[in-house]
Amino acid sequence: MMHRLNFIIIILLILFCFTSLPADNTTNDTQPLNQEQIEEQVDKADASLKMLQSIIGLKKNLNQRITEKNQLLKKSSSDAEKELLNSELSKLDKQLNDSAVDFERIATGIDMGLFDEKKAEAFDWKDELLGLIKPGIKEIKRLTVRARYKTKLKDELSYYQDLLPVANQATQNIVQLISQTKNKDLKKDLKKILPEWKSVEKQILNKVEIAGMRLAEIEGEEKSIIETSQISIKNFFRTRGLFLFIALISCLGVIFLLRLSARIMTRFIPGYTSKYRPFHIRMLSLISRVTAVVMVFFVLIFVFYVVEDWVLLSLTIIFIMGIGWAAKHTLPQFWHQSRLMLNIGSVREGERIIYHGVPWLVKNINVFSELENPSLEVKLRLPIEELLGKISRPFNKKEPWFPCKRNDWVLLADGTRGVVTSLSHEMVELVQRGGSQKIYQTSDFLGQTPLNISLNFRLKITFGISYNLQKESTGSVLEILESHISEQIEKEGYKKSLLNLRVEFQEAGASSLDIVVIADFKGDLAPLYRRLYRAIQRWCVDACTLNNWEIPFPQLTIHK
């Protein structure tokens, strides 16, 4: 999901950048030239004339060298020499052709390659498909064309500037050798190659001047960032901004109509507003969502086609193809999500699911699904991706959703007793007697097997009497003790919350006869759980004192 979102954001950013460019170069306002601009054009014309004269001189020199090479080729009888001369002639012809091209480019101020005839191309569906996105690709290249061309000129200028001293040194070396040698044959041969190297030096110098002039032209045409931004914003709102606004209004209109039709279906189709919608209603809802997406893209393409903005149309097609490419790799995930939305997947509405170790009721499955825990009084809004790989099940109405609720008193396995003041699927907060707070993570809280004593609870106290009362221990002692505890409960105001009281004989211990007191209370006495436990112990001791019953202690008896 994350990589799809990143891809969509990148495409939208590129789309916004392109829309800030003018749709056509003819939209720029024509303004009268000021004096400074006129002077710049005059200087530019003078520089061009000087360059043209230099190129004419270079062409004459190249023609002369070609004539000389052809004469040498006719006189030569060596195959190796002929091959070398032909290679040099090819280089001179290429240099002459380049000079002619430079001459026309400087004279006209345009690239003559624009007027070359295009060859007929055979039909290819792949090329046609690429032709749809070709305007967008051209626009991408156009963003950096000036910067790339400027960098290319700088590299070319640097290359020829580094080469010029080398050619100059070569010419000086030949001249120095001619002046120093006395050998006529050697001097003759050196004089033959001297024009060649002078021509090379002149040609390199010509290349340096041409590259420098082009670079100066580009730098002179560059405008400030504020001026460029103003022009771009102006052109944007005049052309593509208007087209995008029309496309946006059209998309909003389509979405409004689809929403209106959905409301009509909700009102008139039976079962559409039921708590758990049937399958055909879910299928209709899913189809309407897919239709909305398709219609939005169709309207975008249609609007850009009608206004004939091929760049925006191309970028829209690239955007749709990108979404299709991303969907290709996530098609199984879409299939499982569609099954969940149709309520035929592994998680279904109205069933019970475990999430973060806590049971939840699946209230609604949609793009954003809703889970609820009645005991926690918490609702979760989850993206549908979170439900993938999980399983729900039907449940019984009497199944608990959590061991306790807010304001319940609980007793934990670690001995902690307190009232629940806050609980969620993340944390549970207990406040103990005295006001101290204790916070558990929900998973740790559940691991403590909490005992909820807020509804009802039982106290079970074991009490021992001496073997001297063996005869009465299963009869009158139990009656007297139960009567005494009952009177004390009523005396201290616990009678209304008492559910059950029993005093029974438990067992004959090693040193005492053990009696168990079982008392059941309502949950309103849960805060006094420990106090009641201690009180029953106290009442048992008081009964022994009143009736002169001996309370034994562990004894060790030695027999001879």
Side-chain angles (χ1 to χ4, degrees):
M1 184 68 181
M2 200 63 190
H3 71 274
R4 282 185 289 156
L5 182 61
N6 292 334
F7 176 80
I8 292 173
I9 292 174
I10 292 172
I11 290 294
L12 290 176
L13 289 174
I14 295 175
L15 183 62
F16 176 77
C17 292
F18 292 158
T19 53
S20 64
L21 296 174
D24 190 11
N25 292 333
T26 59
T27 59
N28 293 332
D29 295 336
T30 57
Q31 300 178 354
L33 299 178
N34 53 32
Q35 185 64 30
E36 184 179 354
Q37 291 176 333
I38 294 174
E39 292 177 358
E40 287 181 359
Q41 290 190 355
V42 171
D43 294 339
K44 182 178 177 182
D46 292 339
S48 298
L49 290 174
K50 291 180 180 179
M51 290 298 304
L52 291 174
Q53 293 174 359
S54 176
I55 293 175
I56 289 174
L58 178 62
K59 288 171 67 176
K60 288 181 179 179
N61 184 273
L62 289 173
N63 285 321
Q64 182 180 356
R65 290 174 58 194
I66 290 173
T67 302
E68 293 175 356
K69 296 293 181 182
N70 284 325
Q71 291 176 356
L72 292 174
L73 183 62
K74 291 178 181 179
K75 295 178 181 179
S76 176
S77 58
S78 171
D79 293 336
E81 188 178 1
K82 286 182 179 181
E83 185 178 353
L84 179 61
L85 290 172
N86 285 324
S87 175
E88 292 178 356
L89 282 170
S90 299
K91 293 180 181 179
L92 291 173
D93 287 335
K94 185 177 181 304
Q95 293 174 5
L96 184 62
N97 182 60
D98 292 342
S99 300
V101 172
D102 290 338
F103 185 88
E104 291 185 7
R105 184 183 293 113
I106 294 173
T108 60
I110 60 175
D111 187 1
M112 301 304 296
L114 297 174
F115 298 94
D116 294 341
E117 293 184 1
K118 296 183 178 180
K119 297 180 180 179
E121 298 179 356
F123 177 80
D124 188 352
W125 68 270
K126 294 181 181 179
D127 295 336
E128 297 297 327
L129 181 62
L130 291 175
L132 292 175
I133 62 175
K134 193 174 182 180
I137 297 175
K138 284 184 176 180
E139 200 71 16
I140 294 174
K141 294 176 66 178
R142 183 178 159 194
L143 280 174
T144 57
V145 63
R146 295 184 67 86
R148 288 187 288 110
Y149 185 58
K150 186 177 179 180
T151 302
K152 179 183 176 183
L153 286 177
K154 286 182 178 180
D155 294 339
E156 185 177 347
L157 180 62
S158 177
Y159 171 75
Y160 286 120
Q161 284 177 342
D162 293 339
L163 202 60
L164 184 60
V166 178
N168 189 16
Q169 182 65 38
T171 304
Q172 291 179 2
N173 290 339
I174 295 173
V175 172
Q176 184 178 1
L177 290 173
I178 291 174
S179 62
Q180 291 179 355
T181 185
K182 297 180 179 180
N183 190 323
K184 295 182 179 180
D185 294 333
L186 178 57
K187 184 177 293 189
K188 182 179 179 181
D189 291 338
L190 289 173
K191 287 182 177 181
K192 285 182 180 179
I193 64 173
L194 180 60
E196 240 178 82
W197 280 100
K198 285 184 177 181
S199 177
V200 169
E201 183 182 359
K202 187 175 182 181
Q203 186 177 2
I204 293 174
L205 181 61
N206 189 30
K207 292 288 185 182
V208 170
E209 293 176 352
I210 292 175
M213 188 181 70
R214 291 181 189 170
L215 190 60
E217 289 177 359
I218 292 177
E219 291 177 348
E221 292 173 358
E222 290 181 347
K223 300 177 180 179
S224 65
I225 297 177
I226 297 177
E227 186 177 355
T228 304
S229 302
Q230 290 176 347
I231 295 174
S232 299
I233 293 173
K234 188 176 181 180
N235 291 327
F236 168 74
F237 286 108
R238 183 177 295 178
T239 53
R240 293 202 179 120
L242 178 61
F243 301 154
L244 283 174
F245 179 74
I246 295 173
L248 178 61
I249 294 298
S250 303
C251 292
L252 291 177
V254 169
I255 293 173
F256 174 76
L257 291 176
L258 292 174
R259 294 286 293 179
L260 183 62
S261 63
R263 288 182 177 274
I264 295 174
M265 288 190 298
T266 302
R267 180 174 297 180
F268 293 102
I269 296 179
Y272 212 98
T273 57
S274 59
K275 184 176 181 181
Y276 299 116
R277 297 176 298 171
F279 175 79
H280 67 279
I281 298 297
R282 294 177 178 277
M283 177 63 76
L284 186 61
S285 177
L286 182 61
I287 291 174
S288 65
R289 291 176 182 274
V290 175
T291 303
V293 175
V294 174
M295 287 297 295
V296 166
F297 285 127
F298 175 78
V299 167
L300 284 175
I301 293 175
F302 179 76
V303 170
F304 296 148
Y305 177 79
V306 170
V307 299
E308 296 183 356
D309 194 322
W310 308 118
V311 173
L312 290 177
L313 178 61
S314 175
L315 292 174
T316 304
I317 294 174
I318 293 174
F319 178 70
I320 295 174
M321 291 175 64
I323 293 178
W325 181 261
K328 170 186 174 183
H329 298 283
T330 56
L331 191 59
Q333 184 177 355
F334 286 146
W335 166 248
H336 291 302
Q337 291 179 8
S338 301
R339 291 183 60 190
L340 290 175
M341 293 183 68
L342 294 174
N343 208 33
I344 57 174
S346 58
V347 179
R348 303 189 180 186
E349 290 183 358
E351 293 188 350
R352 180 183 176 112
I353 186 176
I354 302 298
Y355 183 70
H356 285 309
V358 177
W360 299 87
L361 174 63
V362 183
K363 296 286 289 184
N364 183 30
I365 297 179
N366 214 317
V367 177
F368 285 94
S369 305
E370 185 179 348
L371 305 182
E372 180 182 9
N373 187 294
S375 297
L376 295 177
E377 299 178 355
V378 173
K379 291 184 179 180
L380 292 183
R381 186 171 177 263
L382 300 176
I384 194 171
E385 292 85 357
E386 287 291 324
L387 299 181
L388 295 176
K390 293 180 173 56
I391 299 175
S392 65
R393 66 170 178 84
F395 62 93
N396 190 287
K397 293 183 179 180
K398 295 183 179 181
E399 287 188 54
W401 293 97
F402 204 73
C404 59
K405 297 180 180 179
R406 189 174 285 105
N407 298 323
D408 283 354
W409 282 80
V410 294
L411 184 63
L412 304 183
D414 60 2
T416 302
R417 181 174 64 94
V419 61
V420 178
T421 56
S422 175
L423 75 168
S424 68
H425 61 290
E426 298 169 345
M427 288 187 174
V428 177
E429 181 183 24
L430 299 182
V431 176
Q432 302 178 21
R433 297 283 288 180
S436 59
Q437 295 180 342
K438 197 169 186 179
I439 297 177
Y440 292 86
Q441 288 188 358
T442 302
S443 58
D444 297 335
F445 177 80
L446 295 175
Q448 291 288 334
T449 59
L451 176 65
N452 192 335
I453 59 176
S454 290
L455 183 60
N456 295 319
F457 64 91
R458 167 171 288 188
L459 292 175
K460 195 173 182 181
I461 295 98
T462 301
F463 191 80
I465 60 176
S466 173
Y467 269 91
N468 296 332
L469 300 172
Q470 180 176 343
K471 184 177 180 180
E472 298 88 356
S473 63
T474 57
S476 60
V477 171
L478 301 180
E479 294 173 0
I480 293 171
L481 184 58
E482 182 176 349
S483 175
H484 179 77
I485 293 175
S486 180
E487 290 176 2
Q488 295 300 317
I489 288 176
E490 185 175 2
K491 182 179 178 181
E492 297 192 17
Y494 302 135
K495 185 67 175 179
K496 293 181 179 179
S497 299
L498 179 66
L499 297 174
N500 177 45
L501 176 64
R502 296 200 313 273
V503 179
E504 298 178 355
F505 182 82
Q506 179 172 332
E507 65 177 351
S511 302
S512 63
L513 298 172
D514 295 335
I515 297 172
V516 61
V517 180
I518 301 173
D520 297 332
F521 294 93
K522 294 180 182 179
D524 57 348
L525 292 181
L528 306 178
Y529 181 87
R530 300 290 188 191
R531 182 186 296 180
L532 289 172
Y533 186 89
R534 295 190 299 269
I536 293 175
Q537 290 276 7
R538 173 167 51 84
W539 296 333
C540 290
V541 173
D542 291 342
C544 291
T545 303
L546 292 174
N547 294 279
N548 295 318
W549 296 337
E550 183 183 355
I551 301 175
F553 53 88
Q555 300 178 9
L556 178 63
T557 303
I558 301 175
H559 299 277
K560 288 186 178 181

